[in-house]
Amino acid sequence: MTVPRLDPKPLEPWALELLRQEFADGDPQTQAELARLVAVLRSLPEPPATPDLAREILARIAADGSRPRVVYGAFGALRRLARPEVAGLLAAGLAALFAAVLAPESTPSSLRVVPGATDEGLAMHARRRAPLIRPQYVTAALAQPAAVVAPRFRPERAPIDDSIDSRLDHQLNQLMLDPTAFAERLEQLAQRDQFIARLAARAAERGDAAEIAFRVRDSQHPLARQLVDRLLRATLVASVSPSLTPPR
Amino acid sequence: MHGLSAEIADAGPVGAVPDRIRAEAFRPSEDPDADLIDRWQGGDQDAFARLVRSHERNVFRLLYRMLGSREEAEDAAQEAFLSLHRHGHRFRRESRFSTFLYRVAANAALNRRRSLGRARAREIELAQRHASGAQIHAAPRNPEDATHGVEIQVRVQEALQQLPDELRVAVVLYDIEGQSYKDIAEILGIPEGTVKSRIHRARLGLRERLKELVQSSSTGDKP
């Protein structure tokens, strides 16, 4: 228990030294004022408190103890997971899991466009879930009747991928699936010409610009014609000299 | 991180304890609360209740001087003991229990002040002045008579509230609570030299804010 010090006494040596450093002559008036201030502080009476504060504290603790400890439990679990040995094991396990999931042979069959499949629900599911419809699958699908390829264009976001080429591939796939719908979507694009140029350049890089142009030319949409034109020009330039691939 | 510094890191955001503070070994047997802590950490809730009863006044007093309001101090005291109850297993007895508890309480006060904000602090200040039922006496008075008066308390409390948190907690712990430099250094996680410097700066700030009081007092003291 702290015993109040009521005795007014001179300032401590360190306080006098600090004062001397601050006020070159030590300033006796300041010393006296500070000593008086310290005496006042040390003689302050006990502040008024609720007499049964301890009981209130214990009641609150008891109430807290009766509550579900979900949050505390969660934090406790997180703290345990953050231990180096546990975190190391967890990281190794996650790495193994990702490696297994990302292996090519483990690609779920639902993400592939199966030639001859007639289940529309399955095809729609595949389009939604597939991060990228790979060109070879699209080509295979185009060789089949329209049962697999949905006739209606469903705008969908490009998959989250840090590669620009992957995004362009995705858009080219969308173009091949439904050229008219793709062209309609292009109408709303602000920098349409630059985008078409980049698409054509990417198609030329992949080597299937002519094939895509062949598919797109069936569309009567005005922008489809522009697309065909850019794709064919890109094909021509790439065939003359690979080094002159049109800039994106 | 080991020892007290780990406990302090658990208890709050203030910086790590310098090595020279940590190096001074503390013997758990020196702690007057050692027996109660043994029992509490062994699961005896009655022992914890006794710890609360024996330390609640000290914690409340510190919080009252830090926050300037009885209600806020009581709420903060409840939070401090609640925090102690939840995280008491982290107390590894490398300092006295009372020092550790002051640390928890100081953090509770600082957290509460941050959450209160200036507007709320001002409301509390005005309510406190109103509750005192007294106008602040502008004329010089003899502090020997007035120290225990409501006006002096209110003025000192107001002056304390105007100090920055880090200065206020240092001067409250030393000049009002009577803690040693070493204990304050452990509580705040700063070197003893910094403790002294903060106390000094706090006193200078209080002297400026209580000029009328201390000037008249010092004048009156002269023969």
CSV table of all heavy atoms in Angstrom, one decimal, chain A residues 193-227:
chain,number,residue,atom,x,y,z
A,193,ASP,N,-9.9,0.6,-80.0
A,193,ASP,CA,-8.9,0.3,-81.1
A,193,ASP,C,-7.6,-0.3,-80.5
A,193,ASP,O,-7.1,-1.3,-81.1
A,193,ASP,CB,-8.6,1.6,-81.9
A,193,ASP,CG,-9.8,2.0,-82.7
A,193,ASP,OD1,-10.7,1.2,-82.9
A,193,ASP,OD2,-9.8,3.2,-83.1
A,194,GLN,N,-7.2,0.3,-79.4
A,194,GLN,CA,-6.0,-0.3,-78.8
A,194,GLN,C,-6.2,-1.7,-78.3
A,194,GLN,O,-5.3,-2.6,-78.5
A,194,GLN,CB,-5.5,0.6,-77.6
A,194,GLN,CG,-5.1,2.0,-77.9
A,194,GLN,CD,-6.2,3.0,-77.9
A,194,GLN,OE1,-7.3,2.7,-78.2
A,194,GLN,NE2,-5.9,4.2,-77.4
A,195,PHE,N,-7.4,-2.0,-77.8
A,195,PHE,CA,-7.6,-3.3,-77.3
A,195,PHE,C,-7.7,-4.3,-78.5
A,195,PHE,O,-7.1,-5.4,-78.4
A,195,PHE,CB,-9.0,-3.3,-76.6
A,195,PHE,CG,-9.4,-4.6,-76.0
A,195,PHE,CD1,-8.6,-5.2,-75.0
A,195,PHE,CD2,-10.5,-5.3,-76.5
A,195,PHE,CE1,-9.0,-6.5,-74.5
A,195,PHE,CE2,-10.9,-6.5,-76.0
A,195,PHE,CZ,-10.1,-7.1,-75.0
A,196,ILE,N,-8.3,-3.9,-79.6
A,196,ILE,CA,-8.3,-4.8,-80.7
A,196,ILE,C,-6.9,-5.1,-81.3
A,196,ILE,O,-6.6,-6.2,-81.6
A,196,ILE,CB,-9.2,-4.2,-81.8
A,196,ILE,CG1,-10.7,-4.2,-81.4
A,196,ILE,CG2,-9.1,-5.0,-83.1
A,196,ILE,CD1,-11.6,-3.5,-82.3
A,197,ALA,N,-6.1,-4.0,-81.3
A,197,ALA,CA,-4.7,-4.2,-81.7
A,197,ALA,C,-4.0,-5.2,-80.9
A,197,ALA,O,-3.2,-6.0,-81.4
A,197,ALA,CB,-4.0,-2.8,-81.8
A,198,ARG,N,-4.2,-5.1,-79.6
A,198,ARG,CA,-3.5,-6.0,-78.6
A,198,ARG,C,-4.0,-7.4,-78.8
A,198,ARG,O,-3.2,-8.4,-78.8
A,198,ARG,CB,-3.7,-5.5,-77.2
A,198,ARG,CG,-3.0,-4.2,-76.9
A,198,ARG,CD,-3.2,-3.8,-75.5
A,198,ARG,NE,-2.4,-4.6,-74.6
A,198,ARG,CZ,-2.4,-4.4,-73.3
A,198,ARG,NH1,-3.1,-3.5,-72.7
A,198,ARG,NH2,-1.7,-5.2,-72.5
A,199,LEU,N,-5.3,-7.5,-79.0
A,199,LEU,CA,-5.8,-8.9,-79.2
A,199,LEU,C,-5.2,-9.5,-80.5
A,199,LEU,O,-4.8,-10.7,-80.5
A,199,LEU,CB,-7.3,-8.8,-79.4
A,199,LEU,CG,-8.2,-8.8,-78.1
A,199,LEU,CD1,-9.7,-8.8,-78.5
A,199,LEU,CD2,-7.9,-10.0,-77.3
A,200,ALA,N,-5.2,-8.7,-81.6
A,200,ALA,CA,-4.7,-9.2,-82.8
A,200,ALA,C,-3.2,-9.6,-82.7
A,200,ALA,O,-2.8,-10.6,-83.2
A,200,ALA,CB,-4.8,-8.1,-83.9
A,201,ALA,N,-2.4,-8.7,-82.0
A,201,ALA,CA,-1.0,-9.0,-81.8
A,201,ALA,C,-0.8,-10.3,-81.0
A,201,ALA,O,0.0,-11.2,-81.3
A,201,ALA,CB,-0.3,-7.9,-81.1
A,202,ARG,N,-1.7,-10.5,-80.0
A,202,ARG,CA,-1.5,-11.7,-79.2
A,202,ARG,C,-1.9,-13.0,-80.0
A,202,ARG,O,-1.3,-14.0,-80.0
A,202,ARG,CB,-2.5,-11.6,-78.0
A,202,ARG,CG,-2.5,-12.9,-77.1
A,202,ARG,CD,-1.2,-13.3,-76.6
A,202,ARG,NE,-1.2,-14.6,-75.9
A,202,ARG,CZ,-0.1,-15.3,-75.7
A,202,ARG,NH1,1.1,-14.9,-76.1
A,202,ARG,NH2,-0.3,-16.5,-75.0
A,203,ALA,N,-3.0,-12.8,-80.9
A,203,ALA,CA,-3.4,-14.0,-81.7
A,203,ALA,C,-2.3,-14.3,-82.7
A,203,ALA,O,-2.0,-15.5,-83.0
A,203,ALA,CB,-4.7,-13.6,-82.4
A,204,ALA,N,-1.6,-13.3,-83.2
A,204,ALA,CA,-0.5,-13.5,-84.2
A,204,ALA,C,0.6,-14.2,-83.5
A,204,ALA,O,1.3,-15.1,-84.0
A,204,ALA,CB,0.0,-12.2,-84.8
A,205,GLU,N,0.9,-13.8,-82.2
A,205,GLU,CA,1.9,-14.5,-81.5
A,205,GLU,C,1.6,-15.9,-81.3
A,205,GLU,O,2.5,-16.8,-81.3
A,205,GLU,CB,2.0,-13.8,-80.1
A,205,GLU,CG,3.1,-12.7,-80.0
A,205,GLU,CD,3.2,-12.2,-78.6
A,205,GLU,OE1,2.7,-12.8,-77.6
A,205,GLU,OE2,3.7,-11.1,-78.4
A,206,ARG,N,0.4,-16.2,-81.0
A,206,ARG,CA,0.0,-17.6,-80.7
A,206,ARG,C,-0.1,-18.4,-82.0
A,206,ARG,O,0.0,-19.6,-82.0
A,206,ARG,CB,-1.4,-17.7,-80.1
A,206,ARG,CG,-1.5,-17.1,-78.8
A,206,ARG,CD,-2.8,-17.3,-78.0
A,206,ARG,NE,-4.0,-17.6,-78.8
A,206,ARG,CZ,-5.2,-17.8,-78.3
A,206,ARG,NH1,-5.4,-17.6,-77.0
A,206,ARG,NH2,-6.2,-18.1,-79.0
A,207,GLY,N,-0.2,-17.7,-83.2
A,207,GLY,CA,-0.3,-18.4,-84.4
A,207,GLY,C,-1.6,-18.8,-84.9
A,207,GLY,O,-1.8,-19.6,-85.9
A,208,ASP,N,-2.7,-18.4,-84.2
A,208,ASP,CA,-4.0,-18.8,-84.6
A,208,ASP,C,-4.9,-17.6,-85.0
A,208,ASP,O,-6.1,-17.6,-84.9
A,208,ASP,CB,-4.7,-19.6,-83.6
A,208,ASP,CG,-4.8,-18.9,-82.2
A,208,ASP,OD1,-4.2,-17.8,-82.1
A,208,ASP,OD2,-5.4,-19.5,-81.3
A,209,ALA,N,-4.2,-16.5,-85.4
A,209,ALA,CA,-5.0,-15.3,-85.8
A,209,ALA,C,-5.9,-15.5,-87.0
A,209,ALA,O,-7.0,-15.1,-87.0
A,209,ALA,CB,-4.0,-14.1,-86.0
A,210,ALA,N,-5.3,-16.3,-87.9
A,210,ALA,CA,-6.1,-16.6,-89.1
A,210,ALA,C,-7.3,-17.4,-88.8
A,210,ALA,O,-8.4,-17.2,-89.3
A,210,ALA,CB,-5.2,-17.3,-90.2
A,211,GLU,N,-7.1,-18.4,-87.9
A,211,GLU,CA,-8.2,-19.3,-87.6
A,211,GLU,C,-9.3,-18.5,-86.9
A,211,GLU,O,-10.5,-18.6,-87.1
A,211,GLU,CB,-7.7,-20.4,-86.6
A,211,GLU,CG,-8.8,-21.4,-86.2
A,211,GLU,CD,-8.3,-22.3,-85.2
A,211,GLU,OE1,-7.0,-22.4,-85.0
A,211,GLU,OE2,-9.1,-23.0,-84.5
A,212,ILE,N,-8.9,-17.5,-86.0
A,212,ILE,CA,-9.9,-16.7,-85.3
A,212,ILE,C,-10.6,-15.8,-86.2
A,212,ILE,O,-11.9,-15.7,-86.2
A,212,ILE,CB,-9.2,-15.9,-84.2
A,212,ILE,CG1,-8.6,-16.9,-83.1
A,212,ILE,CG2,-10.2,-15.0,-83.5
A,212,ILE,CD1,-7.7,-16.2,-82.1
A,213,ALA,N,-9.9,-15.3,-87.2
A,213,ALA,CA,-10.5,-14.4,-88.2
A,213,ALA,C,-11.5,-15.1,-89.0
A,213,ALA,O,-12.6,-14.6,-89.3
A,213,ALA,CB,-9.4,-13.8,-89.1
A,214,PHE,N,-11.2,-16.4,-89.3
A,214,PHE,CA,-12.1,-17.2,-90.0
A,214,PHE,C,-13.5,-17.4,-89.2
A,214,PHE,O,-14.5,-17.4,-89.8
A,214,PHE,CB,-11.5,-18.6,-90.3
A,214,PHE,CG,-12.3,-19.5,-91.1
A,214,PHE,CD1,-12.5,-19.3,-92.4
A,214,PHE,CD2,-13.0,-20.5,-90.5
A,214,PHE,CE1,-13.3,-20.2,-93.2
A,214,PHE,CE2,-13.8,-21.4,-91.2
A,214,PHE,CZ,-14.0,-21.2,-92.5
A,215,ARG,N,-13.3,-17.6,-87.9
A,215,ARG,CA,-14.5,-17.7,-87.1
A,215,ARG,C,-15.3,-16.4,-87.0
A,215,ARG,O,-16.5,-16.4,-87.0
A,215,ARG,CB,-14.2,-18.2,-85.7
A,215,ARG,CG,-13.6,-19.6,-85.6
A,215,ARG,CD,-14.6,-20.7,-85.9
A,215,ARG,NE,-15.8,-20.6,-85.1
A,215,ARG,CZ,-16.8,-21.4,-85.2
A,215,ARG,NH1,-16.8,-22.3,-86.2
A,215,ARG,NH2,-17.9,-21.3,-84.5
A,216,VAL,N,-14.6,-15.3,-86.9
A,216,VAL,CA,-15.2,-14.0,-86.6
A,216,VAL,C,-15.9,-13.5,-87.8
A,216,VAL,O,-16.9,-12.8,-87.7
A,216,VAL,CB,-14.2,-13.0,-86.1
A,216,VAL,CG1,-14.8,-11.6,-85.9
A,216,VAL,CG2,-13.6,-13.5,-84.7
A,217,ARG,N,-15.5,-13.8,-89.0
A,217,ARG,CA,-16.0,-13.2,-90.2
A,217,ARG,C,-17.4,-13.6,-90.5
A,217,ARG,O,-18.1,-12.9,-91.3
A,217,ARG,CB,-15.1,-13.6,-91.4
A,217,ARG,CG,-15.3,-15.0,-91.9
A,217,ARG,CD,-14.6,-15.2,-93.2
A,217,ARG,NE,-14.9,-16.6,-93.7
A,217,ARG,CZ,-14.5,-17.1,-94.8
A,217,ARG,NH1,-13.7,-16.4,-95.6
A,217,ARG,NH2,-14.8,-18.3,-95.2
A,218,ASP,N,-17.9,-14.6,-89.9
A,218,ASP,CA,-19.3,-15.0,-90.0
A,218,ASP,C,-20.3,-14.0,-89.4
A,218,ASP,O,-21.5,-13.9,-89.7
A,218,ASP,CB,-19.6,-16.4,-89.4
A,218,ASP,CG,-18.9,-17.4,-90.3
A,218,ASP,OD1,-18.6,-17.1,-91.4
A,218,ASP,OD2,-18.7,-18.5,-89.7
A,219,SER,N,-19.7,-13.2,-88.4
A,219,SER,CA,-20.6,-12.3,-87.7
A,219,SER,C,-20.8,-11.1,-88.6
A,219,SER,O,-19.9,-10.6,-89.3
A,219,SER,CB,-19.9,-11.8,-86.4
A,219,SER,OG,-20.6,-10.8,-85.9
A,220,GLN,N,-22.0,-10.5,-88.5
A,220,GLN,CA,-22.4,-9.4,-89.3
A,220,GLN,C,-22.2,-8.0,-88.6
A,220,GLN,O,-22.5,-7.0,-89.1
A,220,GLN,CB,-23.9,-9.4,-89.7
A,220,GLN,CG,-24.2,-10.7,-90.5
A,220,GLN,CD,-23.4,-10.8,-91.8
A,220,GLN,OE1,-23.2,-9.8,-92.5
A,220,GLN,NE2,-22.8,-12.0,-92.0
A,221,HIS,N,-21.7,-8.1,-87.4
A,221,HIS,CA,-21.5,-6.9,-86.6
A,221,HIS,C,-20.3,-6.1,-87.2
A,221,HIS,O,-19.3,-6.6,-87.6
A,221,HIS,CB,-21.1,-7.3,-85.2
A,221,HIS,CG,-21.3,-6.2,-84.2
A,221,HIS,ND1,-20.4,-5.2,-84.1
A,221,HIS,CD2,-22.2,-6.0,-83.3
A,221,HIS,CE1,-20.7,-4.4,-83.1
A,221,HIS,NE2,-21.9,-4.8,-82.6
A,222,PRO,N,-20.5,-4.8,-87.3
A,222,PRO,CA,-19.5,-3.9,-87.9
A,222,PRO,C,-18.1,-4.1,-87.2
A,222,PRO,O,-17.1,-4.1,-87.9
A,222,PRO,CB,-20.0,-2.5,-87.7
A,222,PRO,CG,-21.5,-2.6,-87.4
A,222,PRO,CD,-21.7,-4.0,-86.8
A,223,LEU,N,-18.1,-4.2,-85.9
A,223,LEU,CA,-16.9,-4.3,-85.2
A,223,LEU,C,-16.2,-5.7,-85.5
A,223,LEU,O,-15.0,-5.8,-85.4
A,223,LEU,CB,-17.0,-4.1,-83.7
A,223,LEU,CG,-17.2,-2.7,-83.2
A,223,LEU,CD1,-17.4,-2.6,-81.7
A,223,LEU,CD2,-15.9,-1.9,-83.6
A,224,ALA,N,-17.0,-6.7,-85.8
A,224,ALA,CA,-16.5,-8.0,-86.2
A,224,ALA,C,-15.6,-7.8,-87.4
A,224,ALA,O,-14.5,-8.5,-87.5
A,224,ALA,CB,-17.6,-9.0,-86.4
A,225,ARG,N,-16.0,-7.0,-88.3
A,225,ARG,CA,-15.2,-6.8,-89.6
A,225,ARG,C,-13.9,-6.1,-89.2
A,225,ARG,O,-12.9,-6.5,-89.8
A,225,ARG,CB,-16.0,-6.0,-90.6
A,225,ARG,CG,-16.9,-6.8,-91.5
A,225,ARG,CD,-17.7,-6.0,-92.4
A,225,ARG,NE,-19.1,-6.0,-92.0
A,225,ARG,CZ,-20.0,-5.1,-92.2
A,225,ARG,NH1,-19.7,-4.0,-92.9
A,225,ARG,NH2,-21.3,-5.3,-91.9
A,226,GLN,N,-14.0,-5.2,-88.3
A,226,GLN,CA,-12.7,-4.5,-87.9
A,226,GLN,C,-11.8,-5.5,-87.3
A,226,GLN,O,-10.6,-5.5,-87.5
A,226,GLN,CB,-13.0,-3.4,-86.9
A,226,GLN,CG,-11.8,-2.6,-86.5
A,226,GLN,CD,-12.1,-1.5,-85.5
A,226,GLN,OE1,-13.3,-1.1,-85.3
A,226,GLN,NE2,-11.1,-1.0,-84.9
A,227,LEU,N,-12.4,-6.4,-86.5
A,227,LEU,CA,-11.6,-7.4,-85.8
A,227,LEU,C,-10.9,-8.3,-86.8
A,227,LEU,O,-9.7,-8.7,-86.8
A,227,LEU,CB,-12.5,-8.3,-84.9
A,227,LEU,CG,-12.7,-7.7,-83.5
A,227,LEU,CD1,-13.9,-8.4,-82.9
A,227,LEU,CD2,-11.5,-7.8,-82.6
